[in-house]
Amino acid sequence: MGGKKYYCDYCKRTFKDAQNARQKHLTSIAHAKNYTEYYKPFKAPEEVLQEESSKIPCRRLATEGQCPFGATCRFSHYTRDQLEYLQYIVASKNADPVFYFPDKEWITKEYFEDTVAPEEIEIKDYNPWPLPNGLQDSANLPPSMRPMTYEDFKDCTFPEWGQYNKENESTTQAGQM
């Protein structure tokens, strides 16, 4: 004899499915707050900037560090830095994109003719694969956790593009049979 139940996805609660109960719930402050919080990430930056720049800063958020009204607060919960960042996003979004199409000769020269021989590459002292802070003092790390260095790649031999090793092909085909 429980009857039908109504579940609100925004508030994550169930109640009796009656018109007056639904209407009371949908007009409640808690539902409006949850509804606003749910859709807040999906708003366009232009819309958020327009809404927030017309509001004054929330004193409760500034003094107490939190506001009980959340997204339904009539004051702004954005800092000056956040508003400036929103302005930057809106400005860059509205800027006309510059299309640059290089000529075919430039592409050919850049990617096919100006290749550098491996002997000419300078090995730097900078390690692009550092260990995390907690593992820097560990001496006996397994090989999978040791940081890679440029020296690890020094003796690697790779075939030229379009070439392949016939010995490896015959061994892989034999292994598949």
Side-chain angles (χ1 to χ4, degrees), residues 159-170 173:
E160 293 294 322
W161 285 103
Q163 296 179 354
Y164 60 91
N165 190 342
K166 290 184 180 181
E167 291 176 16
N168 288 344
E169 183 180 302
S170 60
Q173 288 177 354

Side-chain angles (χ1 to χ4, degrees), residues 102-117:
D103 58 344
K104 294 177 186 176
E105 293 174 14
W106 178 81
I107 293 173
T108 304
K109 185 175 182 187
E110 178 73 21
Y111 292 105
F112 297 112
E113 293 175 4
D114 288 344
T115 57
V116 178

Side-chain angles (χ1 to χ4, degrees), residues 69-134:
F69 299 105
T72 58
C73 184
R74 62 183 173 150
F75 301 106
S76 178
H77 287 192
Y78 282 78
T79 63
R80 178 174 283 159
D81 291 338
Q82 289 172 327
L83 286 173
E84 287 176 3
Y85 183 66
L86 268 176
Q87 288 173 341
Y88 169 75
I89 290 172
V90 170
S92 63
K93 196 175 182 183
N94 293 335
D96 291 333
V98 178
F99 293 101
Y100 172 68
F101 295 105
D103 58 344
K104 294 177 186 176
E105 293 174 14
W106 178 81
I107 293 173
T108 304
K109 185 175 182 187
E110 178 73 21
Y111 292 105
F112 297 112
E113 293 175 4
D114 288 344
T115 57
V116 178
E119 302 84 37
E120 298 175 15
I121 298 175
E122 180 183 332
I123 297 178
K124 302 175 182 178
D125 291 333
Y126 169 71
N127 184 8
W129 305 285
L131 275 174
N133 290 337

